[in-house]
Amino acid sequence: MKTVSVVMCTFNGELFLREQIDSLIRQTYPIHEIIIQDDGSTDCTLQIASAYQQRYPDYNIKIYSNPRQLGFNRNFFSAILKATGDFIACCDQDDIWEASKLEVLISEIGENSLIYHNSILFNQTGELGRLHKKPLPRLTSSLSAILMPQSFGHQILFRKEIITALRPFTDFNLSYDYFIYTISTSIGPVKYTDTPLVRWRRHNHAATFSGKKKSASKWKGYWTALKALSNTANRNTTSRYFQLCRQIHFQEKDTNTVIQNMSTGKLADILKTCYLCLKYRKELVTDKKGIIAYLRAFFIPLFFIRDYGSYIIRD
């Protein structure tokens, strides 16, 4: 039987931590170890984790407390490096897992490098619907992953072999979940299952909170993507990120070409990537047809600069 390490990072999570750990204890697939790494909590987070460690010795709960704060992304990278299971599943401190989550993912991952799933969003008022409104492609190419990273940490289960590829980057303040998702496609295909396996708690103050639908027109989205080209900070962040990605070798030649082009930050090279995306429009844009599919494909690099360019790598 393949072993699974669950990696949870905590920071002042006392309010909902018990619910999350309870959902881990209820998993129908046996857990090899639960790694809880705290990043300087000042509440009762560590006391709660320690109580579960004593109450459930068979679950091999390992608790670590950082001597200095690492921040969200570096804390996850550091904790993942401690995992010893055949597979690693990342875990937020305030969600609720379906009891069958690990069993479903282990049964469906096959020979793929990583698998991720759909989720149900909820907050204090109730359920907010599915994270992915429409089913995503069953398999993700490296080109799609590098330009449209779209898995959050709570969704992913990946092979321990990914850690070797990940290790050179763990000191960087990268969006850890997007980066793991992306780097996994350099090793093998990434798979998606549309089954909701986590109730993903959304807080009103969270940057990714999705309690209200956006009212802005789709055409305005294209306009803001064009304007992002003049955003020096986003252009520089995007360039820095792709410079880092140049250290990763992808089997697909055009994926490496895209990384090279986007790493320069030059308008001409960004436009080369836009035209290359037209070539792969059927792979990159699966929910649109006709002229809209062409337009969406062309704008994908600009969407990256607009959306991910503000945070995907930080100082």
Side-chain angles (χ1 to χ4, degrees):
M1 176 178 286
K2 297 295 184 179
T3 56
V4 178
S5 297
V6 175
V7 174
M8 178 194 295
C9 287
T10 59
F11 177 72
N12 288 346
E14 65 178 8
L15 192 58
F16 303 114
L17 183 58
R18 292 182 181 88
E19 280 185 285
Q20 176 63 296
I21 298 180
D22 284 340
S23 73
L24 301 183
I25 299 299
R26 290 194 297 266
Q27 288 298 298
T28 57
Y29 191 92
I31 295 176
H32 168 64
E33 62 185 353
I34 300 174
I35 295 171
I36 300 175
Q37 183 155 297
D38 188 74
D39 202 30
S41 292
T42 56
D43 63 1
C44 293
T45 295
L46 281 172
Q47 292 92 320
I48 293 170
S50 296
Y52 275 91
Q53 184 185 51
Q54 295 175 21
R55 192 182 313 161
Y56 297 100
D58 292 342
Y59 280 82
N60 196 19
I61 299 175
K62 301 174 180 178
I63 301 173
Y64 302 90
S65 181
N66 297 331
R68 61 179 181 85
Q69 280 195 329
L70 297 178
F72 180 74
N73 292 309
R74 290 190 178 104
N75 194 24
F76 261 107
F77 280 144
S78 172
I80 287 167
L81 294 180
K82 296 179 174 68
T84 62
D86 298 315
F87 295 91
I88 296 96
C90 293
C91 179
D92 292 339
Q93 65 182 2
D94 53 2
D95 299 332
I96 303 173
W97 285 17
E98 295 295 332
S100 61
K101 167 171 168 152
L102 293 179
E103 183 176 3
V104 169
L105 295 183
I106 288 294
S107 67
E108 294 192 17
I109 191 169
E111 298 302 317
N112 299 292
S113 62
L114 178 148
I115 188 170
Y116 69 113
H117 58 78
N118 210 339
S119 304
I120 299 295
L121 284 65
F122 77 106
N123 63 9
Q124 68 276 10
T125 65
E127 291 190 359
L128 303 172
R130 290 190 173 206
L131 172 59
H132 305 298
K133 306 299 182 183
K134 298 178 181 179
L136 300 177
R138 180 175 170 272
L139 295 176
T140 302
S141 68
S142 61
L143 184 62
S144 176
I146 196 73
L147 288 171
M148 299 184 295
Q150 55 187 341
S151 69
F152 295 98
H154 74 276
Q155 298 174 283
I156 59 178
L157 175 93
F158 56 95
R159 296 182 180 277
K160 65 179 180 182
E161 288 79 10
I162 305 300
I163 293 179
T164 301
L166 189 65
R167 196 176 296 276
F169 305 97
T170 54
D171 287 335
F172 292 94
N173 190 5
L174 287 160
S175 292
Y176 86 94
D177 41 11
Y178 288 160
F179 194 69
I180 292 173
Y181 171 86
T182 298
I183 204 171
S184 294
T185 61
S186 71
I187 294 173
V190 162
K191 185 178 180 181
Y192 171 72
T193 175
D194 197 45
T195 306
L197 295 173
V198 167
R199 295 185 70 219
W200 190 29
R201 194 185 304 271
R202 310 312 297 130
H203 303 283
N204 291 349
H205 60 273
T208 55
F209 176 66
S210 302
K212 296 181 180 179
K213 293 184 178 179
K214 297 179 181 179
S215 58
S217 71
K218 294 180 180 179
W219 297 113
K220 185 176 180 179
Y222 290 113
W223 171 241
T224 58
L226 273 175
K227 290 203 307 181
L229 286 173
S230 63
N231 188 319
T232 302
N234 281 32
R235 285 269 293 271
N236 289 341
T237 297
T238 299
S239 176
R240 286 179 57 212
Y241 176 73
F242 281 98
Q243 287 172 22
L244 205 61
C245 290
R246 287 173 61 178
Q247 300 178 44
I248 309 168
H249 177 71
F250 292 89
Q251 295 179 7
E252 296 79 9
K253 179 182 177 182
D254 282 339
T255 300
N256 295 305
T257 299
V258 163
I259 292 171
Q260 172 63 33
N261 288 344
M262 295 293 286
S263 71
T264 70
K266 297 177 180 178
L267 178 59
D269 290 332
I270 294 170
L271 291 177
K272 287 179 184 178
T273 303
C274 293
Y275 282 107
L276 190 58
C277 287
L278 289 178
K279 175 183 175 182
Y280 291 97
R281 66 188 181 279
K282 292 183 180 179
E283 175 183 318
L284 297 172
V285 182
T286 58
D287 61 338
K288 303 295 180 183
K289 295 182 179 180
I291 190 65
I292 297 299
Y294 280 89
L295 186 63
R296 179 77 62 83
F298 184 86
F299 268 77
I300 283 173
L302 308 189
F303 291 147
F304 187 103
I305 295 170
R306 181 194 67 187
D307 299 335
Y308 302 108
S310 61
Y311 66 86
I312 198 162
I313 181 171
R314 303 175 188 267
D315 294 326

